């Protein structure tokens, strides 16, 4: 089946989607992206992702070239055209093609590119087995709250993890874990308390994290939003990661050392179930379906 993408007003085969070599996304990494999950053919927690998109765009003074309503229509049309049951809808907005000058161009039109990726999220084997994580230095800039397409530090972090046989990298700044290269980071203490770093300019405010913390509160699971060190992570009862493209994966090993029993723990397992339940209900809402 030919994958269909959206680029600047047109639906076309992904292989035919072309942008200018002078596009500022290509030349400067000057753009913003978002990733929304799709489950059973419906969007999951999409309003939260679009809110974060609008905030990120505002922080770099970039205008969305379509309305928010139109953006949702395109997301849904891509789900239909690609017959997507489960996976993600990716979107990115760049400042468009212009002569290579660092400052904002006066007359460039933003580029909007969107596509889908099929992915097994609900029944992912990694959710059952848990994943391994490697710690790396956090090499990123000081506005990690902006979902920038400039992802070189995360690319290097994920590659280092991959070369060590790990699924994810946990980035460490000043001895403190910030987050995963493309996920939010959590510990579970011996008494069942969930610990995660508070939102700030040092991390991306995860949409999955936000929804999960609300669900944890409803489920009377205690949460502490505070900084934590790598040493504390080594001695935690459990650890896990969240993102739109994984929902929640238990972490069973950090830098070659087992976390807790070395198997997915009960709190992570329960929270994944709670999130999956929420995601299924949200994806079934007619407002989130094509
Ligand atoms: N990454 N932290 C970082 C640095 C991320 O890149 C992501 C998401 C998250 C989790 O955010 P959310 O729960 O809203 O997906 C945290 C996406 C999935 C990606 O880059 O593909």
């Amino acid at each position: 089946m030919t994958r269909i993408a959206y680029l600047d007003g047109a639906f076309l085969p992904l292989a035919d989607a072309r942008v200018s070599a002078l596009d500022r996304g290509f030349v400067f990494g000057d753009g913003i992206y978002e990733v929304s999950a799709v489950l059973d053919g419906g969007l999951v927690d999409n309003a939260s992702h679009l809110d974060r998109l609008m905030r990120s765009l505002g922080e770099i003074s970039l205008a969305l070239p379509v309305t928010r309503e139109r953006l949702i229509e395109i997301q849904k049309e891509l789900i239909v055209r690609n017959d997507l049951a489960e996976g993600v809808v990716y979107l990115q907005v760049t400042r468009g093609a212009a002569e290579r000058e660092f400052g904002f161009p006066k007359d460039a039109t933003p580029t909007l590119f969107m596509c889908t990726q099929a992915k097994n999220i609900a029944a992912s084997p990694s959710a059952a087995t848990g994943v391994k994580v490697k710690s790396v230095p956090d090499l990123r800039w000081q506005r990690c709250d902006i979902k920038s397409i400039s992802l070189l530090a995360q690319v290097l972090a994920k590659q280092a993890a991959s070369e060590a046989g790990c699924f994810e990298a946990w980035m460490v700044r000043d001895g403190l874990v910030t987050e995963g290269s493309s996920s939010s980071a959590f510990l579970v203490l011996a008494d069942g308390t969930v610990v995660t770093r508070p939102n700030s300019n040092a991390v991306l405010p995860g949409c999955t994290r936000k929804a999960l913390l609300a669900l944890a509160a409803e489920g009377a699971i205690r949460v502490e939003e505070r900084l934590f060190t790598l040493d504390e992570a080594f001695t935690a009862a459990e650890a896990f990661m969240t993102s739109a493209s994984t929902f929640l994966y238990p972490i069973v090993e950090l830098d070659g050392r087992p976390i807790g029993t070395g198997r997915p723990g009960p709190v992570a397992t329960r929270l994944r179930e709670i999130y999956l339940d929420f995601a299924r209900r949200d994806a079934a809402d007619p407002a989130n379906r094509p």
Side-chain angles (χ1 to χ4, degrees), residues 118-145:
K119 198 175 181 306
N120 190 356
I121 306 177
S124 165
S126 297
T129 58
V131 296
K132 298 177 183 176
V133 166
K134 175 182 167 55
S135 66
V136 298
D138 192 337
L139 302 177
R140 297 175 301 166
W141 69 329
Q142 297 184 29
R143 288 304 307 274
C144 299
D145 56 310

Side-chain angles (χ1 to χ4, degrees), residues 33-36 45 48-49 52 88 90 117 140 144 147 151 154 168 171 179-185 203-210 242-247 275:
Y33 77 107
E34 263 305 334
V35 179
S36 293
D45 208 12
S48 186
H49 287 277
R52 187 174 63 189
V88 299
Y90 175 85
Q117 284 180 309
R140 297 175 301 166
C144 299
K147 201 160 171 63
L151 291 168
Q154 288 95 315
E168 178 60 300
M171 299 181 288
E179 60 186 328
S181 68
S182 62
S183 59
S184 308
V203 292
L204 183 78
C207 296
T208 318
R209 172 192 184 280
K210 183 179 178 185
T242 63
S243 75
S245 54
T246 59
F247 291 170
Y275 188 84

